[in-house]
């Protein structure tokens, strides 16, 4: 239908992907008023070339009416969704004068408007995944731990923690005490447990857990007078137990998967602002996509979260998915500072406190995502 798409470069370029996929457009001309970061453009270029088999060209513009004359050949579609408002208006005016089709996407509402013609379509079957959205903004996903949420043993352990949340919180800090649980960094599959530092009740509970894991074939034990040497027999269980909040990430991810029309969900994301800057690695606990719109979730297994946690979630969310991204902070406890709930509301962050009612938790998340 169309040979060429003309569009404006933006911080978030999801609309270009959606239009290119829908109309199978193989030539994209991206207009930029001011020179953009070369790494940002190269990252976007690679994403389109690899995923859509598309030729993409970045064109510096000074005067749209003059600079576009040579581009308006063949069947052309103009995308008015991104870029600065003044440039979009100028493109709209030019497209009317030259009788060129022009389109605007409301991604949040899944609607496509052919401006000037009065046409409106419902966007269907062009949903983006997490990696599409990250790449469209020049960001790079380098790791996620979502494979944990598919493991039956991890799902079972997560359920056990959830069903015994008071017991977990009673002893959680002891698990992170390196004077009790000594990690052998030269051989990370081992942990040395110092029995003399444990109370009688704690040691009884620990022995029960260790025996169960041994019977399941997850660990080997060497019990000595003052210590227990634990050898983990897979590459994920130790991290699940000792990395703070991992169980809550897995639990939340599995709940999100159950919500109708969720297109993609991942947990434990590590990403770069751009693929060439591998110095600063950023993390988000759970990220989901519904109808090509991103949902960013931070998980806190305590009451100790403050303005810094809110700011981090806000910055990451808007950088990755724009200002329409849903921002959610999931916690097992209310914040210790009373002002945090008010501040979260002011920042557009939904604060969800996990309780013993799994369905209530799911419905609360669903209500936020569906808004």
């Amino acid at each position: 239908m169309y040979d060429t798409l003309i569009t404006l470069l933006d911080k978030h370029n999801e609309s270009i992907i959606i239009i290119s996929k829908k109309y199978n457009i193989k030539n994209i001309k991206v207009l930029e008023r001011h020179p953009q970061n070369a790494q940002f453009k190269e990252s976007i270029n690679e994403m389109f070339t690899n995923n859509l088999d598309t030729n993409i060209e970045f064109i510096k513009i000074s005067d749209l009416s003059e600079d576009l004359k040579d581009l308006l050949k063949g069947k052309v579609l103009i995308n008015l969704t991104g870029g600065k408002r003044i440039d979009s208006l100028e493109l709209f005016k030019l497209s009317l004068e030259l009788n060129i089709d022009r389109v605007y996407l409301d991604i949040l509402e899944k609607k496509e408007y052919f401006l000037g013609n009065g046409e409106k379509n419902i966007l269907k079957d062009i949903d983006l995944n997490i990696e599409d959205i990250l790449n469209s903004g020049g960001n790079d996903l380098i790791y996620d731990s979502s494979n944990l949420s598919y493991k039956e043993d991890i799902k079972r352990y997560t359920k056990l923690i959830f069903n015994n949340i008071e017991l977990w919180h009673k002893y959680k800090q002891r698990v992170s005490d390196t004077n009790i649980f000594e990690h052998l960094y030269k051989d990370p599959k081992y942990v040395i447990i110092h029995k003399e530092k444990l109370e009688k009740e704690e040691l009884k509970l620990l022995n029960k857990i260790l025996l169960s894991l041994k019977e399941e074939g997850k660990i080997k034990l060497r019990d000595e007078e003052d210590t227990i040497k634990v050898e983990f027999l897979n590459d994920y269980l130790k991290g699940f137990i000792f990395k703070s909040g991992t169980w809550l990430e897995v639990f939340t991810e599995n709940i999100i998967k159950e919500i109708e029309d969720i297109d993609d969900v991942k947990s434990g994301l590590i990403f770069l602002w751009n693929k060439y800057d591998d110095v600063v690695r950023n993390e988000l606990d759970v990220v989901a996509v519904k109808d090509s719109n991103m949902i960013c979730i931070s998980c806190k297994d305590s009451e100790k979260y403050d303005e810094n946690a809110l700011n981090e979630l806000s910055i990451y969310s808007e950088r990755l998915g724009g200002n329409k991204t849903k921002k959610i902070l999931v916690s097992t406890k209310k914040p210790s500072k009373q002002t945090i709930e008010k501040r979260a509301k002011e920042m557009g962050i939904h604060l969800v406190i996990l309780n013993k009612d799994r369905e209530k938790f799911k419905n609360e998340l669903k209500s936020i995502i569906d808004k």
Side-chain angles (χ1 to χ4, degrees):
M1 183 182 293
Y2 296 102
D3 304 316
T4 302
L5 176 69
I6 293 178
T7 187
L8 293 161
L9 187 61
D10 200 25
K11 289 182 180 179
H12 303 281
N13 299 284
E14 299 96 325
S15 66
I16 309 177
I17 308 174
I18 292 171
I19 294 170
S20 300
K21 283 184 175 181
K22 179 172 182 180
Y23 296 105
N24 195 29
I25 299 175
K26 296 303 181 184
N27 294 295
I28 302 174
K29 310 291 185 182
V30 182
L31 310 180
E32 50 175 338
R33 179 75 75 177
H34 304 288
Q36 299 292 326
N37 183 297
Q39 295 173 347
F40 172 74
K41 291 195 292 186
E42 187 172 344
S43 179
I44 293 173
N45 188 26
E46 285 187 15
M47 185 267 293
F48 277 98
T49 303
N50 293 338
N51 292 349
L52 298 174
D53 189 25
T54 299
N55 175 52
I56 184 166
E57 181 181 357
F58 294 89
I59 299 170
K60 176 76 168 61
I61 56 169
S62 54
D63 185 310
L64 281 171
S65 59
E66 290 297 323
D67 295 336
L68 286 183
K69 283 181 179 178
D70 292 335
L71 301 179
L72 302 178
K73 296 176 182 178
K75 191 65 175 173
V76 174
L77 178 65
I78 290 179
N79 176 25
L80 299 173
T81 311
K84 290 189 176 180
R85 187 171 298 173
I86 186 65
D87 289 333
S88 293
L89 289 171
E90 195 172 343
L91 261 181
F92 178 53
K93 179 175 178 291
L94 185 62
S95 67
L96 287 175
E97 291 172 356
L98 300 175
N99 196 28
I100 298 170
D101 289 349
R102 81 293 300 176
V103 64
Y104 173 84
L105 301 188
D106 184 338
I107 297 175
L108 191 63
E109 296 295 329
K110 297 206 74 176
K111 292 177 182 176
E112 174 186 48
Y113 298 89
F114 281 86
L115 299 179
N117 298 337
E119 294 181 39
K120 178 178 73 175
N121 298 321
I122 304 299
L123 292 171
K124 295 179 180 178
D125 304 322
I126 310 287
D127 292 318
L128 304 180
N129 61 33
I130 290 168
E131 205 153 359
D132 284 335
I133 296 176
L134 263 63
N135 288 338
S136 74
N139 305 298
D140 190 37
L141 176 63
I142 58 174
Y143 177 79
D144 72 83
S145 57
S146 298
N147 61 314
L148 275 181
S149 66
Y150 291 94
K151 297 184 182 297
E152 291 302 322
D153 53 350
I154 293 297
K155 287 196 280 190
R156 188 169 70 255
Y157 303 148
T158 299
K159 186 177 179 181
L160 278 170
I161 293 173
F162 172 69
N163 289 336
N164 298 276
I165 191 72
E166 293 91 350
L167 196 63
W168 169 255
H169 281 144
K170 182 178 179 180
Y171 296 115
K172 183 179 69 145
Q173 296 304 321
R174 302 288 274 167
V175 173
S176 60
D177 188 339
T178 53
N179 292 314
I180 301 172
F181 296 90
E182 179 188 353
H183 298 262
L184 303 183
Y185 294 103
K186 290 185 177 179
D187 199 344
K189 64 183 177 181
Y190 289 100
V191 171
I192 306 295
I193 303 171
H194 296 274
K195 293 191 286 187
E196 75 278 4
K197 298 182 184 296
L198 292 166
E199 301 291 337
K200 186 176 180 181
E201 180 186 0
E202 294 173 333
L203 187 58
K204 182 179 178 181
L205 176 61
L206 179 64
N207 281 327
K208 183 179 178 181
I209 294 169
L210 291 175
L211 181 60
S212 177
L213 292 174
K214 180 182 177 182
E215 289 175 348
E216 290 180 15
K218 306 297 182 184
I219 61 173
K220 287 183 180 179
L221 299 174
R222 193 170 77 194
D223 197 345
E224 298 180 349
E225 185 176 349
D226 297 322
T227 63
I228 303 172
K229 187 172 185 179
V230 182
E231 178 185 359
F232 288 85
L233 301 179
N234 62 44
D235 59 359
Y236 59 84
L237 181 58
K238 183 186 171 193
F240 173 79
I241 294 171
F242 290 101
K243 185 182 176 185
S244 177
T246 300
W247 81 270
L248 185 56
E249 293 176 20
V250 172
F251 184 79
T252 303
E253 180 185 3
N254 281 324
I255 291 288
I256 295 290
K257 284 178 186 174
E258 297 176 12
I259 296 175
E260 189 178 0
D261 296 328
I262 289 290
D263 301 311
D264 194 14
V265 58
K266 294 181 185 293
S267 63
L269 275 74
I270 299 177
F271 58 93
L272 307 176
W273 288 145
N274 69 67
K275 66 184 295 180
Y276 302 97
D277 178 11
D278 61 356
V279 177
V280 180
R281 299 190 173 202
N282 310 287
E283 296 187 37
L284 264 171
D285 296 328
V286 180
V287 175
V289 172
K290 181 185 177 186
D291 297 338
S292 300
N293 293 288
M294 186 169 276
I295 303 121
C296 292
I297 304 174
S298 177
C299 297
K300 303 294 180 185
D301 186 19
S302 74
E303 72 282 6
K304 297 178 182 177
Y305 48 97
D306 55 17
E307 288 87 352
N308 290 332
L310 299 180
N311 289 334
E312 183 179 83
L313 175 59
S314 182
I315 290 168
Y316 287 179
S317 299
E318 292 182 16
R319 176 64 186 262
L320 293 182
N323 57 13
K324 292 183 179 179
T325 301
K326 298 284 177 69
K327 297 168 285 188
I328 304 173
L329 192 148
V330 168
S331 178
T332 52
K333 294 184 178 181
K334 288 189 174 183
S336 54
K337 290 173 64 177
Q338 293 183 347
T339 56
I340 294 301
E341 292 186 62
K342 181 181 177 183
R343 183 63 184 137
K345 189 174 182 179
E346 291 171 349
M347 296 174 70
I349 295 173
H350 302 271
L351 187 57
V352 179
I353 308 301
L354 178 66
N355 57 29
K356 288 186 174 182
D357 190 334
R358 187 181 186 279
E359 280 303 305
K360 183 180 178 182
F361 178 58
K362 176 181 173 181
N363 289 335
E364 192 168 354
L365 290 176
K366 184 178 185 303
S367 176
I368 294 167
I369 290 169
D370 288 347
K371 281 181 182 175

